[in-house]
Structures are given as structure tokens and as C-alpha cells.
Amino acid sequence: MQHGSYSRRDFIRQASLGMGMAFIGMESMAMFSPSGSESAASLPGSSAAVPPKKLGIALVGLGGYAGGQLAPALQKTQHCYLAGIVTGTPQKAKDWKEAYKLKDKDIYNYSTFDQIRDNPDIDIIYVVLPNSMHAEYVVRAARAGKHVICEKPMAITVEECDRMIAACKEAGKMLSIGYRLHFEPHNLEMRRLREQREFGALKHVVADDGMSDAEGWRLDKQLAGGGPLMDVGIYCVQGARYTTGLEPIAVTAKEGPKKDPVKFKSVEESLTWQMEFPGGITADCRTSYSEYMNRLRAEAEKGWFELEPAYGYSGIEGKTSKGPMNFPQVNQQALQMDDFAKAIMEGRPTPVPGEMGRQDVKILQAIYRSMETGKRVEI
């Protein structure tokens, strides 16, 4: 990382080219590129007669996120496209076939999933299933000879993460976790401000993320692995990691009161925790399934910088003690999937690999242990 003459504009320019600095220990950087930009092959006078190949993505699990975010984003990507689906619901298969002009050969159910190995049009499998199913389908996707994107949290246990990473390595395929905010300019700016020490040394982070409309499998511990911590609290863990650029060394957590003990019979309703980082830096975090929260704040020696809302699919806003952040809103999922496709084609690492997801699951497990025991847990 350069200092002094290295400006905010330089940082965003490098990010737009997929160049530059590490994101939490990675050697490559998430690409920030407007989805409407032209490729070199499409420019007048280009000698390339054929546009570059797009990689095919199959979505596994057609819930709200796949239908509301990923499939629409795949209509805006430059380097990948929706090539297939896997669903256990015949009506969804019919609806998606019509909506996205899919062929019968590109539609699978959970009984025929492994046959996807014989489909050359599908290069990447994106696992968008309940958390407890991530490990099984990532392993099966790798064994089918496909690269894999897995939604967060990567899995329920570190042991599952290890199996997923090992399966992809054995198959010679790449594994990425769906951390879309690593491709979002406001969140990138939070890291840059700390790295450039524009407000002096970082001292403290505050991260809150909560919602009040959780339902279905998210309230079932066997399927979700926990409550809001696994679903939205993980953004606080991620935010603290990339804002500090450090890994936590210990956590202390406390479960909040259950205002609705029936609804939250098997999972926590809310949770507060503190993460300790090297150098005396701390992060105070909150998550909830009964209160809306959406903030990431960094406090430093000579000022502060924050995002609120910080973690949404759109509408992210930021400001500092010097004034507002001015960045465009982007399609995070399109940038995320495009970058993974480019990483595969270019033979470079993804900036959001399985190892990053594993570290988050390790931290989440430590938070739950502290919550259950009432003790400080070292990581």
C-alpha cells in the first residue's frame, strides 16, 4: 500500500480495474466496474471478432435471494449468465423456464443434481440453500467438476468448511463465498480510510445489523445453525474485519431477552458481543431479529467514518467527520459474480475465498460459545 500521494481517486480507479491491494490478506482486489461498460472486444476497430466467452451459472435453491437478487443481476453481468437452475418445486421450474428462456436440459431437481456434471454449459454452481445444506451441495458441485459460489454463512461448523475447501481443491475448482459488499464502493472506502490513516490510527468499531421479518428456515436452528448472528450478524463480523484489517483474538457475547419465546424457541432473538483485536482495538456489535439496525462506524484518533445503512443490497450511504461520501450505487451481486467469472478465466484467486468464509464461521462459533458460557472466548 502506498501512502502520501495515493488518493481516494487512485484507490477507486485501481479497484475498477481489479488491481491492487489485498482485502483481508488476499493478494487480489475485488473489481469495481459499472455493469454497463463495454469490453475491449466490443469497441469500434477492435480486432476481436467474437466477444469473450461468458461462463454459465446454475442457481441451486430458488428462494427469495435467488429470485429477487441473483437472477436479475445475471441479466446485467458481462462475464457470466444464468445457465441453469436446481429446484425441488415443479412450479418454480416451470416459472423460471418461461421467465429466463431456459432449456429443459438446464433444469434439475435434487434427485438429478449430480447429472449437472454432464452439462458443459454450466461452469459455476451457486449454492443458495439453507445453511445446513451448504456443505453437502458445495462438495457435490465440486465433485461434478464445477466451480462454486456459496452463500454466507459458508456453513454451520468449521469442520464443514474444511470439507468444502478440501473438495474444491481436490477437484481443482475455485470456491468463493457470496460476500457482495467486497465489491461495493462505500464499504471499500471504509477500508481505504483506515489503511490511509486519514483520521489517524483506528481505535474502535461499531457494527449493528438487525431485521424484524425473519421467517421459515431462518428460525430453525437445525437448518440455520443459529438466529440473527448467522444471517445478518455475520455482516458485523465481516465489517469489523475489513474495517480494522485485523483478525479478532477474543470475543465476549450476551444473548438478549426473548420477547417472543415461541417464535424464537430454538434460536436467539438478539445478541450483543465485543470482539478484541490486536493493538487494543475493539468492535462492539449487535444483531437482532426483532429490531432494524444497519450501521458500520469506525472511530479513530482524529475523526470518524461510517455507513448507515451499511449492508443493504442498495441505498448504502456514508459520511465522515469531514463530510459525506460520494459514491454511486452499484449492482453488488452482478459485480460479485462477474469478478468470480473473471477470476476463473484469468486464473487468479477470488478476493472472497472459502478460507475467508471459514474464518467467519470460526468467529461465529466462538461468539456462540461465549453467549452460552458467559465467558470470554479466545480465538
Side-chain angles (χ1 to χ4, degrees):
M1 166 64 80
Q2 297 177 343
H3 292 275
S5 63
Y6 188 90
S7 69
R8 170 178 174 274
R9 180 176 296 178
D10 293 328
F11 177 84
I12 297 302
R13 184 186 299 117
Q14 282 200 358
S16 72
L17 297 173
M19 296 168 58
M21 304 150 290
F23 206 103
I24 310 181
M26 292 300 298
E27 290 297 325
S28 59
M29 170 70 182
M31 177 185 66
F32 169 47
S33 166
S35 59
S37 63
E38 292 182 305
S39 67
S42 68
L43 296 176
S46 170
S47 61
V50 180
K53 171 180 168 59
K54 286 188 174 184
L55 300 187
I57 293 184
L59 300 178
V60 183
L62 306 184
Y65 189 60
Q69 301 297 327
L70 297 178
L74 282 164
Q75 310 313 302
K76 300 179 180 180
T77 44
Q78 299 179 67
H79 305 290
C80 52
Y81 68 101
L82 180 63
I85 56 174
V86 181
T87 179
T89 307
Q91 187 60 49
K92 283 186 179 180
K94 179 180 178 182
D95 293 343
W96 281 61
K97 177 183 177 181
E98 294 176 357
Y100 294 106
K101 306 297 186 287
L102 296 170
K103 300 175 183 177
D104 288 336
K105 73 177 185 65
D106 300 321
I107 299 173
Y108 300 84
N109 58 42
Y110 297 105
S111 297
T112 62
F113 175 83
D114 296 316
Q115 296 173 20
I116 212 165
R117 71 169 59 249
D118 301 318
N119 191 330
D121 295 330
I122 295 174
D123 305 284
I124 301 165
I125 293 177
Y126 198 143
V127 177
V128 205
L129 293 165
N131 305 338
S132 65
M133 302 173 72
H134 287 180
E136 175 187 351
Y137 280 88
V138 167
V139 170
R140 289 171 67 179
R143 289 175 177 170
K146 309 299 181 180
H147 301 283
V148 193
I149 306 174
C150 180
E151 254 315 299
K152 58 80 194 164
M154 181 176 174
I156 290 178
T157 68
V158 171
E159 291 74 20
E160 287 181 336
C161 296
D162 288 338
R163 293 206 308 272
M164 297 157 76
I165 292 169
C168 291
K169 286 184 176 178
E170 183 178 349
K173 299 299 175 180
M174 290 180 62
L175 171 61
S176 180
I177 310 302
Y179 288 134
R180 55 188 168 78
L181 293 175
H182 285 241
F183 305 87
E184 196 285 318
H186 297 81
N187 281 270
L188 288 173
E189 177 71 351
M190 292 293 286
R191 190 199 66 176
R192 188 198 71 84
L193 289 169
R194 182 264 308 163
E195 286 183 334
Q196 294 296 300
R197 297 173 69 92
E198 291 200 6
F199 297 95
L202 186 68
K203 298 172 65 177
H204 184 63
V205 171
V206 177
D208 307 321
D209 198 4
M211 54 188 274
S212 58
D213 56 354
E215 59 184 7
W217 65 264
R218 288 177 172 80
L219 302 176
D220 184 335
K221 187 174 183 178
Q222 284 193 316
L223 291 174
L229 179 64
M230 299 292 284
D231 187 11
V232 291
I234 189 173
Y235 289 114
C236 300
V237 171
Q238 270 277 303
R241 289 179 66 200
Y242 58 69
T243 299
T244 63
L246 300 169
E247 297 299 340
I249 56 177
V251 295
T252 306
K254 183 178 181 180
E255 183 177 5
K258 290 191 178 184
K259 302 173 185 176
D260 190 339
V262 176
K263 181 177 181 179
F264 300 103
K265 181 180 180 180
S266 69
V267 300
E268 77 277 6
E269 180 175 344
S270 64
L271 181 65
T272 61
W273 73 98
Q274 183 179 82
M275 291 187 285
E276 302 171 30
F277 292 89
I281 299 171
T282 56
D284 287 317
C285 307
R286 295 186 299 156
T287 190
S288 175
Y289 267 164
S290 58
E291 178 185 1
Y292 176 79
M293 303 177 283
N294 205 304
R295 179 173 65 148
L296 177 61
R297 178 182 175 89
E299 298 167 353
E301 290 176 316
K302 301 176 183 179
W304 52 266
F305 40 106
E306 71 175 12
L307 306 180
E308 190 172 6
Y311 315 108
Y313 301 147
S314 62
I316 294 177
E317 296 183 3
K319 59 185 177 180
T320 77
S321 48
K322 293 180 179 179
M325 295 182 191
N326 295 305
F327 295 102
Q329 299 297 317
V330 299
N331 189 312
Q332 301 163 22
Q333 290 85 358
L335 292 176
Q336 170 207 327
M337 291 186 285
D338 259 346
D339 186 78
F340 187 56
K342 286 195 71 179
I344 293 168
M345 292 187 284
E346 294 170 0
R348 63 166 170 85
T350 169
V352 285
E355 288 79 5
M356 181 182 288
R358 181 190 188 278
Q359 176 67 2
D360 278 340
V361 172
K362 183 178 180 180
I363 296 167
L364 296 178
Q365 288 188 318
I367 293 169
Y368 277 131
R369 285 199 302 275
S370 178
M371 182 191 82
E372 292 163 359
T373 63
K375 297 180 179 179
R376 176 179 178 270
V377 174
E378 294 186 354
I379 300 176

